[in-house]
């Protein structure tokens, strides 16, 4: 099972973190941007090339530190087809580096449309007599707030391809309470979503005790995170909100089980943009990113012991 593979990588590197690859052109060091703009001009193609070179450099620096990367589709989509090509190339390069790839796509549709998303990101596409993979990531994020019809097509593909997914349960943004904290009978809405997520995959449990359907649970609500860990004992957590959004290592410790398993914590800007704080104009972006990733790892390991 794919979450077993992710947990194996976490154990091997003693690091339960994922580096988000959410690059804006201004996050790219000036010397990389200049080289790409000199070649392609200040165009979408030039921006896309700069981001690809940046991503590859980051992964070269991080591949023996972090177990996973998480490219966020929006940052690539905004560059049009050139950006989506860069996302595909980023995914391929990550896999060559032995990294687990979580595509942060947050798709939330139903029926044949959900199936098409699932085929494209996790599965295969029928072309004549052939079945061909497209993005071929290990895991995706899914918005399940349209109900099980939005989750099941992805789960079916995950079972066929031995992959996994994360559904949005309790997100890290400030306005999440406007909907997710509303009372629904004897539960609040995010508990309903968490229960649904675990129930849909309850008969498909891996060697570490986690199902194929994980949950996104933000670090910015540590009491909710702690309660959900107890409630959803077989659900693997993706934890955003550490660092720039205000979540701390002390907060994220509640995402893990007693063995230090069952969760992975995301950081994006604090790693990608670490070079902006060194005063070296980005020439040291790889060293800066690696130092930031190691500092995050060590910070969390003060509170979480991975067995």
């Amino acid at each position: 099972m794919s979450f077993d593979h992710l947990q194996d990588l976490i154990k091997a590197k003693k690091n339960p973190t994922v580096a988000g690859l959410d690059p804006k052109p201004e996050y790219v060091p000036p010397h990389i941007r200049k080289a790409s703009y000199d070649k392609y001009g200040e165009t979408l193609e030039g921006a896309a090339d700069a981001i690809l070179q940046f991503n590859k450099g980051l992964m070269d620096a991080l591949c023996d530190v972090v177990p996973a990367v998480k490219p966020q589709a929006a940052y690539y989509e905004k560059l049009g087809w050139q950006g989506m090509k860069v996302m595909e190339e980023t995914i391929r390069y990550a896999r060559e580096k032995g990294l687990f790839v979580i595509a942060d796509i947050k798709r939330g549709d139903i029926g044949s449309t959900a199936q098409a998303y699932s085929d494209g990101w996790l599965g295969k596409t029928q072309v004549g007599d052939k079945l061909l993979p497209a993005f071929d990531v290990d895991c995706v994020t899914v918005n399940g707030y349209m109900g099980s019809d939005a989750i099941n097509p992805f789960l079916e593909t995950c079972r066929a391809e031995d992959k996994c997914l994360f559904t949005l349960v309790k997100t890290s943004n400030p306005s999440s309470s406007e909907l997710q904290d509303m009372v629904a009978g004897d539960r609040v809405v995010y508990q309903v979503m968490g229960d649904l997520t675990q129930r849909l995959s309850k008969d498909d449990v891996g060697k570490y005790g986690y199902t194929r359907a994980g949950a996104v649970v933000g670090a910015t609500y540590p009491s909710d995170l702690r309660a959900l860990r107890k409630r959803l004992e077989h659900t693997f957590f993706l934890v955003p909100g550490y660092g720039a959004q205000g979540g701390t290592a002390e907060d994220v410790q509640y995402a893990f089980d007693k063995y230090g398993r069952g969760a992975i914590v995301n950081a994006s800007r604090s790693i990608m943009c670490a070079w902006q704080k060194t005063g070296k104009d980005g020439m040291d972006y790889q060293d800066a990113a690696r130092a930031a990733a190691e500092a995050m790892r060590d910070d969390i390991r003060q509170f979480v012991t991975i067995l």
Side-chain angles (χ1 to χ4, degrees):
M1 181 184 289
S2 202
F3 278 137
D4 288 343
H5 177 48
L6 176 57
Q7 188 65 63
D8 286 340
L9 290 173
I10 290 170
K11 286 179 65 180
K13 296 179 181 179
K14 298 295 183 185
N15 186 4
T17 72
V18 52
L21 297 178
D22 310 348
K24 297 179 181 179
E26 57 265 34
Y27 292 173
V28 180
H31 69 281
I32 299 177
R33 272 184 281 153
K34 183 179 185 305
S36 294
Y37 293 166
D38 285 349
K39 186 175 182 180
Y40 297 106
E42 291 186 351
T43 61
L44 294 177
E45 189 175 12
D49 182 72
I51 284 171
L52 179 60
Q53 304 314 316
F54 183 47
N55 284 352
K56 286 183 174 180
L58 288 172
M59 288 185 282
D60 287 344
L62 297 172
C63 62
D64 64 332
V65 178
V66 301
V69 291
K70 184 176 70 64
Q72 219 297 339
Y75 293 89
Y76 302 87
E77 290 173 8
K78 69 183 291 186
L79 298 177
W81 68 263
Q82 295 98 328
M84 294 311 292
K85 183 173 184 289
V86 166
M87 184 160 185
E88 190 276 332
E89 292 175 328
T90 295
I91 290 164
R92 190 186 327 137
Y93 195 77
R95 298 194 73 155
E96 289 173 2
K97 290 289 182 178
L99 292 160
F100 189 91
V101 182
I102 303 166
D104 195 355
I105 59 173
K106 294 186 177 71
R107 298 302 190 252
D109 217 317
I110 61 173
S112 59
T113 308
Q115 189 62 59
Y117 281 135
S118 181
D119 290 343
W121 288 99
L122 294 163
K124 296 181 176 67
T125 299
Q126 186 83 44
V127 181
D129 295 329
K130 297 180 179 179
L131 283 171
L132 303 175
F135 290 102
D136 198 26
V137 298
D138 298 295
C139 184
V140 296
T141 57
V142 175
N143 186 342
Y145 276 95
M146 288 180 73
S148 59
D149 291 335
I151 302 171
N152 279 329
F154 290 91
L155 264 179
E156 290 169 7
T157 304
C158 286
R159 293 185 184 107
E161 302 289 339
D162 196 22
K163 295 184 177 183
C164 55
L165 62 87
F166 290 106
T167 63
L168 304 183
V169 173
K170 176 57 177 171
T171 56
S172 59
N173 57 300
S175 66
S176 66
S177 60
E178 294 173 1
L179 172 64
Q180 296 167 21
D181 290 3
M182 295 292 290
V183 176
D186 60 348
R187 298 174 289 176
V188 294
V189 168
Y190 73 78
Q191 292 172 334
V192 175
M193 178 54 68
D195 293 347
L196 173 64
T197 299
Q198 184 161 269
R199 185 170 70 250
L200 289 176
S201 192
K202 65 182 176 62
D203 297 323
D204 195 2
V205 179
K207 68 180 181 180
Y208 292 107
Y210 293 96
T211 71
R212 291 191 189 277
V216 177
V217 184
T220 48
Y221 300 99
S223 61
D224 296 337
L225 178 59
R226 189 173 195 170
L228 281 169
R229 176 73 287 158
K230 293 179 180 178
R231 187 183 190 97
L232 307 175
E233 60 180 332
H234 299 296
T235 302
F236 205 100
F237 287 178
L238 170 61
V239 185
Y242 173 92
Q245 293 186 54
T248 67
E250 188 173 4
D251 296 331
V252 304
Q253 68 177 309
Y254 301 120
F256 297 86
D257 67 17
K258 63 183 179 181
Y259 302 108
R261 301 171 186 168
I264 191 162
V265 183
N266 178 75
S268 300
R269 280 172 290 169
S270 60
I271 294 174
M272 288 188 301
C273 298
W275 65 269
Q276 295 177 346
K277 298 179 179 180
T278 66
K280 297 181 180 179
D281 208 25
M283 300 304 294
D284 63 338
Y285 80 97
Q286 290 177 296
D287 291 339
R290 184 182 179 91
E294 290 175 336
M296 178 183 178
R297 175 199 65 196
D298 296 344
D299 189 26
I300 292 173
R301 278 173 24 177
Q302 294 181 80
F303 299 92
V304 178
T305 300
I306 301 169
L307 302 178

